[in-house]
Amino acid sequence: ERDDRHAGDGGPDAAGSTSLIEGGLDTDTSDDSDPADRTAVDDGNAVRRSPALAGSYAITLAGSVGMIVLTLFTGVVSARLLSPDGRGAVGAIAGWVMVVTVVSSFGFREGMTWIQSKSPERGRDVLAVSLVSIFVTSALGIAAAELLIPIGFSAQSDEVVRYAQIFMLWVIPYSACYSFTTLFGARQRFVPVTLMRVGQPALYALGLVAVWIADTATVLSVLVIQVVSFVVPAVLGFASLARESGFGRVDRRVARDGFSYGVRAFGSTLGFLANSRLDLMILPAVVLADQIGLYVVAVSAGSMIVGLFGSLRVVVFPTAARLGGAEAVAVSQRAMRVVFLA
């Protein structure tokens, strides 16, 4: 009976997704089989999952290497195209956009990832709620940022302050790109995750090369290229997700559950953000743009290893959320061993 239930389970694999769990999810809690048999079955599943999980790690790390290479390239090119103060202005505005995006989400994206991982059949409604939340949370974040920019950019020129106020709209595609990437991960589709993560800096690199050849590089043109590099993958990512699952309704229960989980997980996100990006929120108020430019180059070079192995969370979080229990702990432990050994 156990084998029949697994074979007929309409889990994520039945819908055509690339789930790491072979045979679907067995949600029957009334199983009265012998514990030793269950252990044997679970051990067998763990063995079968290991190559798939290792493959997901490999895909994600390969994408991270690609991102690092592209980031190095864009950093060198932008430094050559812009003066130190221009590079500093772009870095300061980009830092603010990232912080505003994450803080204004209140952990909602993590909540949607959790629901999608635990309940793949709710993908239509999760996508609808995610799309609405992108615009609602981004609007709140942009409104707050506009009030704080005159203070936060008090050491910058009037032109940089004006650019910062205009390009806070960048929060919307940034949030969309981030949200859709995590939803791909929650659906166990790690190839699209990698394409989204690598596609954005690749588009940015192509744009920089274009303005370099045309000799039209300015702070404004580089910021426009940055925004476009987020808009394109966000639109393509949404189209792919909607084509896969369809577009449902804005379910208040999904929104409530996602917000409840996200708020509880938000503390760790804020801690990571404060450790990695709080400096770029404060520096524009006290340091001139050219000094920020030099600082951004130095910090970017020093944070490569963190970016390389920190990306494993894209695989570990949705996989552990879907498995639950002891298997989720085992997945997390294997990921930590990979990071420490590396």
Side-chain angles (χ1 to χ4, degrees):
E1 285 183 35
R2 183 175 180 85
D3 291 338
D4 290 342
R5 284 199 306 272
H6 277 284
D9 188 1
D13 290 323
S17 70
T18 55
S19 172
L20 301 181
I21 306 173
E22 296 183 15
L25 293 173
D26 185 0
T27 56
D28 185 357
T29 58
S30 61
D31 187 5
D32 57 356
S33 59
D34 185 74
D37 292 339
R38 287 201 303 271
T39 301
V41 172
D42 290 342
D43 289 344
N45 285 340
V47 171
R48 288 195 298 273
R49 271 195 300 272
S50 295
L53 191 59
S56 300
Y57 286 166
I59 291 171
T60 304
L61 289 175
S64 297
V65 171
M67 287 183 62
I68 289 174
V69 172
L70 289 167
T71 300
L72 278 173
F73 176 78
T74 55
V76 171
V77 173
S78 61
R80 290 180 63 89
L81 294 177
L82 302 174
S83 59
D85 58 338
R87 183 74 176 86
V90 172
I93 294 171
W96 265 64
V97 167
M98 178 184 176
V99 172
V100 170
T101 300
V102 176
V103 172
S104 63
S105 73
F106 300 108
F108 208 83
R109 278 182 294 277
E110 287 74 15
M112 292 296 99
T113 302
W114 177 72
I115 293 175
Q116 176 70 73
S117 300
K118 296 289 288 184
S119 306
E121 72 280 358
R122 302 169 80 179
R124 290 165 51 90
D125 295 339
V126 168
L127 182 58
V129 173
S130 296
L131 183 64
V132 172
S133 71
I134 287 168
F135 289 99
V136 172
T137 59
S138 295
L140 294 174
I142 291 170
E146 294 292 348
L147 296 176
L148 296 174
I149 282 174
I151 301 173
F153 282 75
S154 57
Q156 309 308 309
S157 66
D158 291 340
E159 182 182 39
V160 173
V161 172
R162 185 169 64 254
Y163 284 157
Q165 292 170 331
I166 295 171
F167 282 93
M168 278 303 111
L169 293 173
W170 181 5
V171 169
I172 298 173
Y174 197 115
S175 177
C177 198
Y178 180 25
S179 296
F180 298 147
T181 300
T182 57
L183 285 182
F184 275 124
R187 295 184 182 191
Q188 309 286 299
R189 296 185 60 199
F190 298 114
V191 172
V193 167
T194 300
L195 292 176
M196 292 279 287
R197 295 174 63 234
V198 175
Q200 183 275 316
L203 289 171
Y204 180 41
L206 288 174
L208 289 180
V209 171
V211 296
W212 190 3
I213 294 173
D215 196 23
T216 57
T218 62
V219 171
L220 178 60
S221 64
V222 170
L223 286 170
V224 169
I225 293 169
Q226 282 265 38
V227 173
V228 172
S229 73
F230 280 88
V231 170
V232 173
V235 171
L236 294 177
F238 173 76
S240 178
L241 289 167
R243 184 171 59 250
E244 176 186 289
S245 66
F247 189 73
R249 61 189 179 88
V250 180
D251 190 322
R252 285 183 294 179
R253 181 178 176 183
V254 170
R256 183 176 64 250
D257 291 347
F259 183 75
S260 174
Y261 180 88
V263 167
R264 285 177 287 166
F266 195 42
S268 62
T269 303
L270 286 179
F272 172 79
L273 191 68
N275 186 52
S276 60
R277 286 294 182 268
L278 185 61
D279 48 0
L280 289 180
M281 287 289 290
I282 298 174
L283 286 177
V286 296
V287 177
L288 296 177
D290 57 344
Q291 296 172 309
I292 296 176
L294 298 174
Y295 177 84
V296 168
V297 172
V299 170
S300 297
S303 61
M304 289 180 184
I305 299 300
V306 176
L308 177 61
F309 293 100
S311 62
L312 288 180
R313 69 184 183 277
V314 178
V315 177
V316 175
F317 178 43
T319 303
R322 183 167 294 188
L323 291 174
E327 289 187 302
V329 175
V331 168
S332 301
Q333 289 174 338
R334 286 198 295 271
M336 292 302 296
R337 284 197 292 269
V338 170
V339 173
F340 283 127
L341 288 174

